[in-house]
Amino acid sequence: MSFLLVALLLILSLAACGSNNGNDSSTGTSTGDNSSSDSGNNGKAANDSGSSNAASGKEVVIKFPSYKTGNNVGAIFFLPQIERFNKKFAGKYKIEIEEIVQDEYSKKIKLLYQQKKLPPLIEVDKELADIMINNGDLLDLKPYIDNSPAIKDVLIDDSVKYNTDKNGKIVSLPLAFERPIGMYYNKQLMQKASLTGFSDTWDGFFSDLDKLKAAGVTPLSLMTGENGWTTMLLASAMIASDPEGQQILTKGDIVTNFNSPLWINTFTKVQKLLQDYTTKSALGATYSIAANEFFSENTAAIANGPWMVADFSNTDKAAEGFADNVGATIYPGGVALGSADGYWYSIPTGTPQGEVDGLIEYFKFIYSPEELNAFLVAEGGFAPKMPMPEESKAKLNPIMRQLNDEVGAKMKTLNRLIYDIVPQSVADLFAKNLPLLATNDMTPEQFCKAMTDTAEKFKK
């Protein structure tokens, strides 16, 4: 059975899941009760035990998987924040994290949904969110948010709108912050090519890459393994720089036809990046390999979000003083990536009330002024409805401050990523076919046709 057919069957089976979604009682409470063999009853069993724990005054344990663990850069802030929450609510609520790699997260959540064993807190992609919303499987957060000014007052209006379904239910925690994704460059390596930064146009950008090559410097850290993240970001920025592409990204509808000059021209440029301006290791590289090429000063630049900045000062990953040589910028054309649109934390229906209450406290905690500002200082970005106090600004990493300045001075548009507007099956295929594009075993036209063919199956 082909990969595409398997993916299609998975989507169909997810869509067929009923609305009586239960939760894995073994992940839900401190009792760890997983004795029931009837998965259809898991929700009730968990509900009962979770509620009874809360009612009895026992500590409610809230257990869920997260990819912000291990070597994931998000772990640097996320895990200590969980510890701070657990300390504040000791004896009442305790969050326990199950480690999972980012690439496996969505697949696991979809599988658990199929098995009716979802944990109490999940992050869903658009594809799964649409299915769960249609099935009524996501808890309405609106009553909790309306009763929690600490949350409601900081939320971005567009994010609230995005996360509100046609029935007025808020199905996922809206964002209170935006974190523009840009690029980081090695100032010393750039100086070898007499560059102090990248051009503001794409023609100038490619000219800069040529100058770096001529100076003996490999320009970019790219990757074709995992989800092709750093490569996908540059492709997204190119799409966003085109008026037609920007319209597509702004609209946000799922794209199913890539057989157009916009997409073919973009992937022609991506092919050139992979063939002429990156390391040999990019072929099959995971994120850690691509990042290590930048940390090891083998490449001049890497595209990524502000959450990477902390790693520049991490001597387990980069040499002492490496961060002093790093500059930050956005993409040519005044393009930055990132959007307040998108789904974040959702709570499946059937989650025990005690855990729901604990998660609402967690949402209040992470959106408190202290935690939100600490998050922005650590990972970058800004909260439109909560201006950063001067004492927090003073703590900003110089690289983060430069990125904020670049956003303030140059940013014309903040755009969604390609992955935000394609079916998951197309995103998977994108990464799978990047090596073929790099080795000339697939033309840009064939690359786009393969994505279109896969997307057409998604429509059926």
Side-chain angles (χ1 to χ4, degrees):
M1 184 178 294
S2 72
F3 168 79
L4 295 177
L5 184 55
V6 170
L8 181 61
L9 289 173
L10 176 60
I11 291 170
L12 291 173
S13 61
L14 287 173
C17 283
S19 59
N20 59 338
N21 167 55
N23 290 283
D24 182 1
S25 60
S26 67
T27 65
T29 72
S30 59
T31 63
D33 178 11
N34 59 356
S35 58
S36 173
S37 59
D38 181 359
S39 62
N41 290 330
N42 280 354
K44 184 177 185 305
N47 228 326
D48 290 347
S49 61
S51 298
S52 63
N53 259 13
S56 66
K58 292 181 180 177
E59 184 176 69
V60 176
V61 176
I62 307 166
K63 192 171 184 177
F64 55 86
S66 176
Y67 52 85
K68 287 179 281 190
T69 55
N71 290 325
N72 187 290
V73 293
I76 297 172
F77 184 84
F78 174 71
L79 293 179
Q81 186 179 56
I82 292 293
E83 291 177 9
R84 292 195 293 276
F85 174 84
N86 286 341
K87 183 177 180 181
K88 180 174 180 177
F89 290 93
K92 189 172 184 181
Y93 302 116
K94 182 180 181 181
I95 292 177
E96 292 184 355
I97 302 298
E98 295 177 5
E99 184 173 345
I100 183 171
V101 296
Q102 188 165 2
D103 251 20
E104 297 297 321
Y105 181 82
S106 291
K107 295 172 188 171
K108 177 166 183 175
I109 294 300
K110 287 174 182 174
L111 182 62
L112 291 175
Y113 179 55
Q114 235 183 343
Q115 297 172 336
K116 300 179 180 180
K117 291 183 176 180
L118 281 175
L121 190 71
I122 57 175
E123 296 181 50
V124 290
D125 57 36
K126 188 175 188 325
E127 201 170 308
L128 181 59
D130 287 346
I131 295 169
M132 294 189 72
I133 290 168
N134 286 335
N135 287 341
D137 287 338
L138 295 177
L139 185 72
D140 181 12
L141 299 178
K142 190 173 189 307
Y144 299 97
I145 291 174
D146 286 344
N147 288 324
S148 304
I151 301 176
K152 187 177 182 180
D153 291 350
V154 298
L155 299 180
I156 298 171
D157 294 340
D158 285 347
S159 187
V160 173
K161 184 179 178 182
Y162 186 92
N163 284 281
T164 301
D165 73 4
K166 62 183 179 183
N167 298 314
K169 296 178 180 177
I170 297 180
V171 296
S172 171
L173 181 64
L175 295 179
F177 55 85
E178 295 186 0
R179 290 189 297 166
I181 298 172
M183 284 199 303
Y184 304 96
Y185 55 87
N186 185 311
K187 290 184 278 190
Q188 287 187 340
L189 293 181
M190 296 286 281
Q191 285 171 3
K192 288 185 177 181
S194 301
L195 296 171
T196 57
F198 284 108
S199 172
D200 292 335
T201 68
W202 283 104
D203 286 344
F205 178 78
F206 276 89
S207 175
D208 293 340
L209 301 185
D210 286 330
K211 291 175 184 175
L212 284 163
K213 273 188 71 176
V217 176
T218 303
L220 298 170
S221 276
L222 298 178
M223 55 188 282
T224 64
E226 293 177 338
N227 58 3
W229 176 252
T230 63
T231 309
M232 183 276 298
L233 290 178
L234 283 164
S236 297
M238 291 176 190
I239 291 288
S241 300
D242 184 283
E244 179 190 349
Q246 190 179 116
Q247 190 175 20
I248 291 171
L249 293 172
T250 300
K251 195 173 180 182
D253 291 345
I254 293 294
V255 177
T256 56
N257 184 357
F258 305 90
N259 296 324
S260 71
L262 170 70
W263 293 95
I264 293 171
N265 291 339
T266 296
F267 290 115
T268 298
K269 293 175 184 173
V270 169
Q271 186 179 50
K272 185 172 180 59
L273 292 180
L274 289 167
Q275 292 179 345
D276 296 344
Y277 300 117
T278 190
T279 59
K280 291 181 180 177
S281 67
L283 199 62
T286 60
Y287 168 75
S288 60
I289 291 174
N292 187 57
E293 294 286 13
F294 185 67
F295 295 144
S296 302
E297 306 196 66
N298 295 328
T299 60
I302 186 170
N304 206 354
W307 48 85
M308 187 184 191
V309 171
D311 277 351
F312 299 148
S313 302
N314 183 346
T315 53
D316 288 336
K317 297 185 177 181
E320 185 83 32
F322 175 76
D324 297 336
N325 291 326
V326 177
T329 187
I330 58 174
Y331 302 94
V335 167
L337 299 173
S339 169
D341 289 354
Y343 299 108
W344 192 23
Y345 287 142
S346 292
I347 301 175
T349 54
T351 298
Q353 190 59 48
E355 294 179 40
V356 172
D357 293 342
L359 289 169
I360 297 302
E361 290 299 334
Y362 176 61
F363 296 162
K364 291 179 188 175
F365 179 76
I366 62 176
Y367 277 168
S368 66
E370 298 78 13
E371 288 296 326
L372 185 52
N373 278 309
F375 171 74
L376 295 173
V377 168
E379 297 205 359
F382 58 94
K385 293 190 177 180
M386 187 185 290
M388 184 177 284
E390 291 302 320
E391 57 266 30
S392 294
K393 288 182 182 177
K395 296 177 184 175
L396 274 176
N397 180 295
I399 303 169
M400 211 79 83
R401 192 178 303 126
Q402 183 183 5
L403 182 60
N404 284 357
D405 290 345
E406 289 278 306
V407 167
K410 296 180 179 177
M411 189 179 79
K412 296 177 182 175
T413 58
L414 185 63
N415 303 273
R416 292 185 176 92
L417 309 180
I418 288 176
Y419 283 172
D420 294 329
I421 58 162
V422 301
Q424 182 61 45
S425 53
V426 172
D428 292 341
L429 188 73
F430 172 88
K432 182 182 176 184
N433 284 346
L434 275 179
L436 300 177
L437 192 66
T439 56
N440 263 343
D441 289 310
M442 182 174 268
T443 66
E445 289 81 1
Q446 290 170 329
F447 189 86
C448 290
K449 183 179 185 305
M451 292 205 302
T452 301
D453 291 346
T454 298
E456 288 295 325
K457 292 175 183 175
F458 166 79
K459 286 169 62 178
K460 294 176 181 175

